[in-house]
């Protein structure tokens, strides 16, 4: 059975164990990554798939005061023969949100846009990783980074 594409990306599940009738003091948390299964695709299908090519994998911002909002943009091209689609963008900080994750047609170009709210980030160097879960058989997971210095 195939996974539901709505569940692609990072999924976190929590449960509170019960042992001998007593609940544990804290829930356990299990994180799992779900993505499309390309194992059954033929070599020809893989060659016809989307192929994202990013100009850069890191957006660097200059030193900013805490509370500043940063707009990070990642230009890319789809060098493949099929539509490029991002199922989900997971950032390792809730301070970063996706603004624009467009589908990009074959041989097309576009850009991904994210907003970073530096409120609450620690002082100094900050690097936030974004993991894209995509429909590309050659790049089902793509990591991008937003990096810079936050001062108080």
């Amino acid at each position: 059975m195939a996974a539901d594409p709505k569940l692609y990306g990072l999924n976190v599940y929590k449960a509170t164990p019960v042992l001998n009738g007593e609940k544990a003091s804290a829930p356990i948390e299990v994180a799992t990554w779900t993505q499309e299964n390309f194992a059954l695709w033929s070599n020809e299908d893989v060659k016809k798939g989307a192929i994202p090519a990013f100009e850069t994998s890191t957006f660097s911002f200059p030193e900013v005061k805490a509370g500043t909002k940063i707009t990070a943009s990642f230009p890319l091209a789809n060098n493949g023969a099929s539509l490029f689609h991002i199922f989900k963008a997971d950032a390792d900080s809730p301070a970063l949100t996706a603004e624009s994750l467009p589908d990009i047609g074959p041989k097309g170009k576009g850009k991904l846009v994210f907003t970073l709210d530096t409120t609450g980030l620690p002082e100094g160097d900050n690097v936030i990783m974004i993991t894209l879960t995509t429909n590309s058989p050659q790049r089902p997971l793509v990591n991008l980074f937003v990096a810079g210095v936050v001062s108080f």
Side-chain angles (χ1 to χ4, degrees):
M1 172 186 271
D4 181 348
K6 293 176 190 164
L7 296 176
Y8 287 175
L10 178 63
N11 296 283
V12 179
Y13 302 95
K14 295 180 183 181
T16 302
V18 176
L19 181 62
N20 295 329
E22 292 192 33
K23 277 187 169 183
S25 60
I28 59 171
E29 188 172 282
V30 176
T32 182
W33 215 276
T34 307
Q35 67 186 52
E36 191 163 343
N37 180 1
F38 298 104
L40 299 178
W41 283 36
S42 69
N43 287 340
E44 187 173 316
D45 287 338
V46 169
K47 289 177 186 174
K48 291 179 184 176
I51 304 171
F54 288 84
E55 288 182 15
T56 182
S57 62
T58 302
F59 177 91
S60 297
F61 60 90
E63 184 171 337
V64 298
K65 292 283 185 192
T68 303
K69 289 191 177 180
I70 306 294
T71 300
S73 179
F74 294 90
L76 74 143
N78 175 5
N79 295 333
S82 297
L83 180 77
F84 174 66
H85 176 73
I86 298 168
F87 293 107
K88 192 172 178 191
D90 291 293
D92 63 4
S93 169
L96 192 132
T97 56
E99 299 298 327
S100 173
L101 299 173
D103 287 343
I104 300 173
K107 307 301 181 196
K109 292 185 179 193
K111 69 178 174 178
L112 309 182
V113 179
F114 298 88
T115 298
L116 174 64
D117 183 351
T118 61
T119 302
L121 291 181
E123 186 172 21
D125 289 335
N126 282 267
V127 178
I128 295 163
M129 184 172 72
I130 307 159
T131 301
L132 306 175
T133 304
T134 81
N135 70 333
S136 172
Q138 295 185 33
R139 295 196 70 193
L141 298 176
V142 177
N143 290 323
L144 302 173
F145 303 89
V146 176
V149 177
V150 175
S151 62
F152 291 103

